[in-house]
Amino acid sequence: MIVTGRDPDRLAAVRDRVAAAEQVDGASESEVASFFDRAGVIDHLVLAFSPGAVGMGNLSDTRVADIRLAFEGKLFGYLSAIQRAKVTGSITMVSAVSARAAMPGTVALAAVNGAIERIVPPLAAELAPVRVNAVSPGVIDTPWWAFVPDDQRQVRLASYTERIPAGRAGEARRSPTPCII
Ligand SMILES: NC(=O)c1ccc[n+]([C@@H]2O[C@H](COP(=O)([O-])OP(=O)(O)OC[C@H]3O[C@@H](n4cnc5c(N)ncnc54)[C@H](OP(=O)(O)O)[C@@H]3O)[C@@H](O)[C@H]2O)c1
């Protein structure tokens, strides 16, 4: 497995668990292109990066420039990676529940993640037999939520998740006892 990201410390922290951990800015077309040229053929491509809560807020209070950044940092990054990667097996993009919810303050997120979910069928048709899918998480307690002050974060997450069956936000840690059937 090869992982990529921008932060050298976070890459260093996983380097002993993966085949390679490379510094690549997914929003930079040239860095993405040279990474995939170096990487050669890839079995499975997972696109999970995002610029975080950029563009979050009611539309009337949101700068269009931030909405552009939300697209640049996720959708356009995914598109340039898919254009350049030589994939033989599957492409999985991470979208978000905002694509199909009706939550105020998420217009930009809905636009970006809705676009990701909508490109799955035509991409699957273009790239067959490579499989193309999107995974759409709900609310997950990760650094994505760092924009909410520490003392308010758990209350905020609970307000989004109290009505879902699990009644809590998801966690990003690896399960110690995975069950694969
Ligand atoms: N957390 C949630 O509640 C939630 C809900 C639904 C969907 N999602 C989606 O799930 C995915 C993962 O989110 P997360 O919660 O794990 O967010 P996160 O904790 O903020 O992590 C985002 C990751 O993306 C990397 N990244 C960001 N911009 C990048 C860029 N331009 N190039 C390369 N790497 C970049 C960051 O690494 P570096 O900083 O090292 O680059 C970081 O590892 C995202 O697509 C997000 O939209 C999250």
Side-chain angles (χ1 to χ4, degrees):
M1 185 197 300
I2 303 173
V3 297
T4 63
R6 296 163 304 174
D7 182 338
D9 294 335
R10 296 172 82 183
L11 291 167
V14 297
R15 198 156 270 134
D16 61 348
R17 286 186 269 149
V18 294
E22 290 208 30
Q23 197 168 9
V24 181
D25 181 349
S28 159
E29 258 189 273
S30 59
E31 286 190 30
V32 168
S34 75
F35 167 72
F36 284 114
D37 289 349
R38 289 195 306 279
V41 173
I42 291 169
D43 296 326
H44 304 291
L45 175 65
V46 178
L47 295 163
F49 60 89
S50 87
V54 175
M56 195 159 174
N58 286 355
L59 184 62
S60 55
D61 305 325
T62 305
R63 295 178 333 133
V64 170
D66 286 336
I67 299 174
R68 282 190 214 283
L69 285 177
F71 274 90
E72 292 285 349
K74 191 163 178 178
L75 175 70
F76 295 153
Y78 287 19
L79 291 175
S80 69
I82 292 167
Q83 268 189 335
R84 204 68 187 210
K86 300 170 203 67
V87 180
T88 56
S90 69
I91 296 170
T92 305
M93 297 177 282
V94 177
S95 63
V97 65
S98 54
R100 283 155 290 104
M103 292 181 285
T106 64
V107 168
L109 302 179
V112 172
N113 291 299
I116 287 171
E117 295 189 8
R118 282 314 310 152
I119 63 175
V120 169
L123 264 180
E126 287 183 16
L127 301 178
V130 172
R131 291 177 287 113
V132 181
N133 288 288
V135 172
S136 180
V139 174
I140 312 293
D141 188 358
T142 70
W144 193 96
W145 292 94
F147 71 97
V148 182
D150 287 350
D151 60 339
Q152 296 167 28
R153 196 170 305 131
Q154 291 311 318
V155 173
R156 178 93 170 253
L157 294 182
S159 74
Y160 289 134
T161 55
E162 60 194 1
R163 284 190 210 86
I164 65 169
R168 62 167 178 79
E171 296 169 8
R173 67 184 163 80
R174 279 188 300 177
S175 166
T177 51
C179 175
I180 300 170
I181 53 174

